[in-house]
Amino acid sequence: MSDTASLVSAVEILGSIEESYKTILTPEAIAFLVLLHRTFNTTRKALLARRVARQAAIDAGILPRFLPETKFIRDDPTWQGAPPAPGLVDRRVEITGPTDRKMVINALNSDVWTYMADFEDATSPTWENLVSGQANLYDAVRRQVDFTVPGGKAYKLRTDRLLPTLIVRPRGWHLEEKHFLVDGEPISGSIFDFGLYFFHNAHELVKRGSGPYFYLPKMESHLEARLWNDIFKLSQDMIAMPRGTIRGTVLIETILAAFEMEEIIYELREHSSGLNCGRWDYIFSFIKKFRHNPAFVLPDRSAVTMTSPFMESYVKLLIKTCHKRGVHAMGGMAAQIPIKSDAAANKAAMENVYKDKLREVNAGHDGTWVAHPALAAIASEVFNKHMPTPNQLFKRTEEVVVTEADLLNSKVQGSVTEGGIRKNLDIGLGYMEAWVRGVGCVPINYLMEDAATAEVSRSQLWQWVRHQVTTAEGIKVSKEYALRILEEETEKLEKSAPKGNKFRQAAQHFSTQITGEDYADFLTTLLYDDITKINSKSAKL
């Protein structure tokens, strides 16, 4: 490795340096990040520019299609992804959540097979959340994450069984880390999250019988998967680790990635551990990419289910693709949380979870996600009964044919209602208010909401106003109407929330996003400056 001191001198850390952070922000780890940034950031920015050009083409009427230039990859039956890595053979139930210390312990104590520790949609990327989250995972890998709340409860890792396999989701390619500058520019949030976790924990994980495993979010093309693969190869080389030790499961949560599933697995081959149905982000992407096209206007969020034509087609293609290439096809999130105050409502909610997981296992998924430990038993019951094997990679669906038109079929039964508009506003405001307070995973109406569901909410509102949709009640959804309902919902939420809440701040941002005019690429980039705390001078280690 190049001289550590000279590499570290290229860095300015504009966030605070607590004593506990120094285990993570070591000179050697910083030097590792600098090399990754200098090697790959130019490519990352070029790929982001490619996204902009692709959106312009879609806006001009050029719809996505299966790429003719990569047909040879899809037509070649001989290549396969990597065989499952240690700890990833059986993934029938995965729990997801942020990386605060309490969540890490609760997730690892859950009766699940894996835990996806999330630096992305379930984390508000404050400097404190990110670095303390890395410290929590560092301790969790070494089984030293126990702690006691002052004067209160003790949180300890269980010792009566093997703990779930740890998988980490770094931020997407579009996000930057403004508290960490290299050569005067912010480092990629993806590289920052991946690099710190990998550098500190890769060898320790392998020693303990696992490995450095990742979920890769928000990709829009196989070229973005190629970038991850190049980073994986170099990172392993830099710490003398055999290539293929890293594994990455790709969330297919953009409509563009759905047209390149085989190519994405192909790019990652020796590092691939499958694909996942990121349902809420996928709906968000579907609306976002085609937001200017009136043929793609969708009804209320509640009407857009996994059996909607474009969603069902995407699931079928994902399972067929993964099993054809020998990698896991992971199902989607059950976002429900227990309703302790209403037994009947809780029973109905849990029955819906059961039905959704039954649909997934019967379709051919090899595992599924839950957001709350209480749902693990339901998901496990379904998968244990209907998938007694560690996975069902052997279940081939070669007879399934999914066309380009199937993936773009926006004919969803349902209507736009005032109730749906108010629900979108409540979810968007509730999530954004929490996010600017530094909380990235929020229970709203007994569902665990993250950035993806807030994105669906604001994108639907934008789309309905843009195309002057008429509600089931006969009201045209105009800019004035949307802003009036926004004000009404903001006042309700402000009155019911504790003093010092940030609903007004959230509403100011939201008001720019629901009028059919301005449209931020992501809510997280729109809000990011609100949570940055930039020191005037670079912090000293």
Side-chain angles (χ1 to χ4, degrees):
M1 187 180 289
S2 301
D3 179 65
T4 297
S6 65
L7 291 169
V8 171
S9 68
V11 171
E12 295 177 79
I13 297 178
L14 303 180
S16 62
I17 302 293
E18 307 298 329
E19 190 63 32
S20 60
Y21 297 176
K22 292 183 179 180
T23 302
I24 302 301
L25 297 171
T26 63
E28 294 77 15
I30 291 172
F32 182 78
L33 293 178
V34 171
L35 284 173
L36 291 183
H37 171 88
R38 287 178 173 174
T39 306
F40 296 110
N41 200 46
T42 299
T43 302
R44 180 186 74 91
K45 290 194 289 188
L47 289 170
L48 292 178
R50 188 175 183 273
R51 287 186 184 183
V52 175
R54 192 93 183 268
Q55 182 66 58
I58 292 171
D59 292 346
I62 302 173
L63 294 177
R65 59 175 181 161
F66 298 120
L67 302 179
E69 63 268 29
T70 55
K71 187 174 183 296
F72 73 97
I73 293 174
R74 299 191 298 276
D75 289 348
D76 181 353
T78 62
W79 67 267
Q80 292 277 288
L88 293 180
V89 174
D90 192 336
R91 303 170 63 180
R92 65 188 70 198
V93 181
E94 302 188 330
I95 194 168
T96 76
T99 58
D100 61 274
R101 208 164 183 85
K102 178 181 174 183
M103 176 65 200
V104 169
I105 292 175
N106 287 342
L108 290 174
N109 285 343
S110 299
D111 290 321
V112 295
W113 281 257
T114 75
Y115 159 44
M116 188 198 79
D118 192 10
F119 285 109
E120 206 229 3
D121 273 4
T123 294
S124 175
T126 66
W127 176 249
E128 293 77 12
N129 284 347
L130 295 168
V131 187
S132 65
Q134 291 281 353
N136 294 336
L137 295 183
Y138 180 98
D139 289 342
V141 167
R142 292 158 181 80
R143 306 297 187 254
Q144 58 192 33
V145 73
D146 299 355
F147 76 103
T148 301
V149 177
K153 184 176 179 181
Y155 291 87
K156 295 183 178 181
L157 290 178
R158 65 193 295 177
T159 57
D160 60 330
R161 52 158 277 180
L162 290 175
L163 297 181
T165 300
L166 184 60
I167 308 174
V168 169
R169 177 162 70 168
R171 283 169 285 177
W173 286 130
H174 59 286
L175 291 168
E176 295 181 334
E177 181 46 63
K178 292 186 178 181
H179 300 95
F180 191 100
L181 307 185
V182 180
D183 301 324
E185 66 174 346
I187 194 171
S188 156
S190 305
I191 289 175
F192 183 84
D193 300 341
F194 161 81
L196 287 176
Y197 178 75
F198 175 82
F199 182 83
H200 288 297
N201 301 300
H203 283 301
E204 184 69 24
L205 287 161
V206 171
K207 186 173 75 174
R208 291 173 177 268
S210 181
Y213 305 146
F214 299 90
Y215 258 107
L216 307 177
K218 301 284 191 298
M219 283 193 278
E220 297 191 9
S221 80
H222 69 285
L223 298 179
E224 295 180 18
R226 181 181 297 171
L227 175 57
W228 270 121
N229 201 57
D230 288 343
I231 288 175
F232 290 169
K233 288 189 290 188
L234 179 62
S235 296
Q236 289 163 134
D237 292 351
M238 287 167 66
I239 67 167
M241 174 167 278
R243 291 186 180 183
T245 307
I246 294 176
R247 295 301 167 84
T249 306
V250 174
L251 292 121
I252 301 298
E253 52 189 356
T254 70
I255 181 63
L256 299 181
F259 285 86
E260 301 181 32
M261 291 191 210
E262 287 196 75
E263 293 91 333
I264 286 170
I265 297 172
Y266 181 82
E267 292 294 345
L268 286 165
R269 285 193 298 290
E270 63 183 335
H271 299 115
S272 175
S273 54
L275 307 177
N276 169 281
C277 285
R279 63 175 73 179
W280 295 117
D281 267 302
Y282 193 77
I283 296 170
F284 157 51
S285 174
F286 193 85
I287 301 168
K288 173 183 179 176
K289 290 299 174 186
F290 308 129
R291 64 186 184 273
H292 292 285
N293 190 330
F296 288 88
V297 174
L298 298 179
D300 283 359
R301 164 183 156 176
S302 60
V304 186
T305 68
M306 295 307 293
T307 58
S308 299
F310 74 97
M311 297 297 287
E312 188 173 43
S313 297
Y314 136 77
V315 169
K316 288 179 178 178
L317 182 59
L318 185 142
I319 294 168
K320 175 183 178 179
T321 301
C322 287
H323 290 182
K324 176 183 176 183
R325 300 306 181 183
V327 294
H328 284 72
M330 301 303 297
M333 171 69 80
Q336 290 86 347
I337 56 179
I339 307 173
K340 296 179 180 179
S341 60
D342 188 330
N346 186 66
K347 183 174 183 289
M350 296 305 110
E351 286 175 352
N352 285 336
V353 173
Y354 189 98
K355 291 175 185 176
D356 186 52
K357 300 311 167 191
L358 183 61
R359 174 193 58 79
E360 288 184 325
V361 73
N362 286 338
H365 281 295
D366 301 293
T368 190
W369 276 15
V370 297
H372 193 283
L375 272 59
I378 298 172
S380 296
E381 178 186 348
V382 175
F383 271 80
N384 288 341
K385 180 178 179 181
H386 297 276
M387 191 186 79
T389 50
N391 53 63
Q392 46 188 343
L393 296 176
F394 55 85
K395 186 172 183 177
R396 303 299 178 87
T397 54
E398 297 300 331
E399 75 283 357
V400 169
V401 176
V402 177
T403 67
E404 294 169 343
D406 292 331
L407 290 174
L408 299 173
N409 187 343
S410 60
K411 293 179 173 60
V412 178
Q413 294 297 314
S415 57
V416 177
T417 67
E418 182 170 314
I421 291 170
R422 291 185 183 275
K423 184 176 181 179
N424 277 345
L425 288 167
D426 282 349
I427 291 169
L429 286 168
Y431 184 78
M432 291 168 69
E433 190 273 341
W435 202 88
V436 295
R437 285 190 288 106
V439 178
C441 194
V442 190
I444 302 174
N445 298 325
Y446 301 105
L447 291 174
M448 195 62 74
E449 307 283 4
D450 66 7
T453 48
E455 292 284 25
V456 173
S457 296
R458 68 106 179 195
S459 297
Q460 283 201 311
L461 292 164
W462 189 97
Q463 183 187 55
W464 294 339
V465 173
R466 179 73 171 196
H467 299 292
Q468 297 285 285
V469 168
T470 299
T471 68
E473 296 85 359
I475 300 170
K476 182 174 284 188
V477 185
S478 65
K479 172 181 175 179
E480 294 73 22
Y481 174 78
L483 292 174
R484 176 172 65 79
I485 302 296
L486 170 65
E487 180 59 28
E488 291 175 7
E489 295 304 307
T490 303
E491 287 183 3
K492 286 182 193 175
L493 291 167
E494 274 190 307
K495 287 177 182 177
S496 62
K499 285 187 177 181
N501 69 78
K502 298 192 176 185
F503 280 109
R504 188 56 55 182
Q505 182 179 344
Q508 288 174 349
H509 284 297
F510 213 22
S511 66
T512 69
Q513 296 298 300
I514 62 170
T515 63
E517 299 163 335
D518 292 344
Y519 186 90
D521 205 28
F522 292 92
L523 280 177
T524 46
T525 52
L526 176 72
L527 299 173
Y528 183 54
D529 284 345
D530 285 27
I531 62 165
T532 56
K533 294 179 181 178
I534 302 298
N535 293 328
S536 58
K537 294 183 179 180
S538 178
K540 300 296 183 184
L541 288 170

